Amino acid sequence: MNLRLDSFITKFGGFAVAVIALALCACGNQESTQNKTSAKPAEQAVEQPAEQTTPSKSLVVFYSQTGSTKKVADAFQKARNADVFEIKTATPYPSTYDSTVAAVRVQRESKQWPALANPKADLAKYDTVFLGYPIMFGTFAPPIYSFLDSNDLSGKVVVPFCTYGSGGRKASAAELKTLEPNASVILAYGISNKRISAEGADSVVASEVEAFFANLAEGKTEEMLMGGYSEQRPLTAEDSAVFAAATKDYGYLSLKPLSVSTQVVAGTNFLFTCEMKAFGGPATQTNVKIFRPLPGRGEPELIVVEK
Ligand SMILES: Cc1cc2nc3c(=O)[nH]c(=O)nc-3n(C[C@H](O)[C@H](O)[C@H](O)COP(=O)(O)O)c2cc1C
């Protein structure tokens, strides 16, 4: 699919989403499509031009400093039978959290992105790139800037995925859209490092990634996924208890819930509008998404903090 997707989307709106969805389905079902093709009578197979019978393949490109994002990359790879390109920095970040924070701060302030051990990926044969990263300073980690500087994503469908402490999925996807205006950056997946480090996380991630692909294939947008929430309303004692249980490890964000809306799924999603004073900084308004499983299936958990 060699489309100028952005202008295509501008012109054809939802239709383009459907085309992208078809491309994503095609790369996920590559094996079964190939089997179907080889089952055709020989003369029919010969009539088809090669590009039309060869489904597109996708590539998972990711950077992971401490292994959380790698787990999601593995799930994407398995779900789409994709090839994988792991971005590696020429010099690794320091081994402690605080010294990595200091190193990343210097890189961000100077916009001197780290040299990569493997700057160039061979992207020519891929229509779709799944781009994975840890959130650092509210957006993607610096090695992603290095990767974007050395590789051309124009004309590709780009699906971001990330891991984070509390959030950054939407903000990083928005920055990616700005930096890659000629790529089609669509729905992003994210998961907190707490959830991905928990027992049984592999199957949780696998099923979330499957659900994510189902949403992509249906052409769902962020707005559509927010459908089905009730109006924001004042908190009840039960809401406050859910909020307290799910945010107990996030004291550094100083979150104060102001109102809530809910969405019934297999369990309940809570969307709290909150005041936040992250690391004692100025007060901002943010949304905190919490999932409460069905009774007896576990404790409420924080899914993401984002605007
Ligand atoms: C330098 C640095 C900055 C970070 N900044 C954020 C942040 O702004 N927001 C957030 O939610 N998590 C932040 N994190 C947490 C990481 O996103 C999280 O631990 C991630 O899962 C690490 O992924 P990895 O194991 O693939 O490297 C930061 C971590 C580091 C080391």
Side-chain angles (χ1 to χ4, degrees), residues 10 14 37:
T10 314
T37 308

Side-chain angles (χ1 to χ4, degrees), residues 31-56:
E31 211 173 302
S32 57
T33 313
Q34 278 172 340
N35 288 343
K36 275 185 217 147
T37 308
S38 59
K40 281 180 180 174
E43 60 279 13
Q44 272 187 29
V46 171
E47 276 169 20
Q48 293 285 336
E51 308 96 86
Q52 282 181 25
T53 53
T54 309
S56 59

Side-chain angles (χ1 to χ4, degrees), residues 64-69 97 101 134-138 163-167 193:
S64 181
Q65 189 205 4
T66 58
S68 296
T69 309
Y97 174 79
V101 168
I135 297 295
M136 293 187 176
F137 287 61
T163 65
Y164 48 77
S166 59
N193 56 7

Side-chain angles (χ1 to χ4, degrees), residues 17 22 31 124 181 198 227 243 297:
V17 174
L22 281 174
E31 211 173 302
F243 187 85
R297 301 259 182 103

Side-chain angles (χ1 to χ4, degrees), residues 66-84:
T66 58
S68 296
T69 309
K70 184 178 186 326
K71 291 183 192 172
V72 185
D74 289 347
F76 269 71
Q77 187 282 322
K78 283 193 190 120
R80 295 289 100 174
N81 188 27
D83 292 339
V84 176

